[in-house]
Amino acid sequence: QVQLVESGGGLVQPGGSLTLSCAASGFSFSSYAMRWYRQAPGKEREFVARIAMTGSITTYAGSVKGRFTISRDNAKNSAYLQMNSLKPEDTAVYYCNAVLPGTNTQYWGQGTQVTVSS
């Protein structure tokens, strides 16, 4: 069955770093673009970052540009979000998303909590 299994969330101090992982199975991972979204309490889900099938093209939300890095390893069927210089406003549930270009086919992970607090 199709699965996106996330890991790496937790509590981190302001200014710290954290890496989220998304392990995919049950579909042709290398054919999909990968994205990260986040949702804070009382707010709508917002786009964070995306990476193309080959990993050659990346896009970031302005709020995380220069601090976060999205990557993928097609040999491991995994996507990652490296988060540096974390701020309290980065606190949210982070979701992994896979989308097949040119189609309406998408898959979502279960979400993982990231809390930035001292």
Side-chain angles (χ1 to χ4, degrees), residues 4 6 22 27 32-37 45 49 79 95-100 105-109:
L4 294 175
E6 301 170 351
C22 176
F27 65 99
Y32 287 69
M34 298 298 297
R35 301 184 290 193
W36 288 94
Y37 284 76
R45 186 176 300 187
Y95 298 90
C96 178
N97 166 258
V99 57
L100 185 63
T105 301
Q106 292 190 41
Y107 305 117
W108 290 90

Side-chain angles (χ1 to χ4, degrees), residues 2 8 29 34 37 40 46 48 50 52 71 92 96 103 110 117:
V2 171
F29 179 80
M34 298 298 297
Y37 284 76
E46 66 174 344
V48 176
R50 71 168 64 90
S71 62
C96 178
T103 76
Q110 79 286 353
S117 176

Side-chain angles (χ1 to χ4, degrees), residues 9-88:
L11 176 65
V12 64
Q13 294 182 338
S17 298
L18 198 64
T19 299
L20 305 182
S21 298
C22 176
S25 61
F27 65 99
S28 183
F29 179 80
S30 63
S31 297
Y32 287 69
M34 298 298 297
R35 301 184 290 193
W36 288 94
Y37 284 76
R38 68 185 183 186
Q39 187 168 22
K43 296 186 176 181
E44 296 183 355
R45 186 176 300 187
E46 66 174 344
F47 167 80
V48 176
R50 71 168 64 90
I51 187 167
M53 295 178 291
T54 64
S56 59
I57 301 173
T58 58
T59 306
Y60 298 92
S63 58
V64 307
K65 193 174 300 181
R67 299 189 298 120
F68 290 11
T69 302
I70 188 171
S71 62
R72 68 189 297 161
D73 188 338
N74 287 344
K76 297 181 178 179
N77 285 354
S78 296
Y80 309 93
L81 186 67
Q82 175 66 49
M83 304 182 293
N84 299 323
S85 302
L86 283 162
K87 306 173 181 179

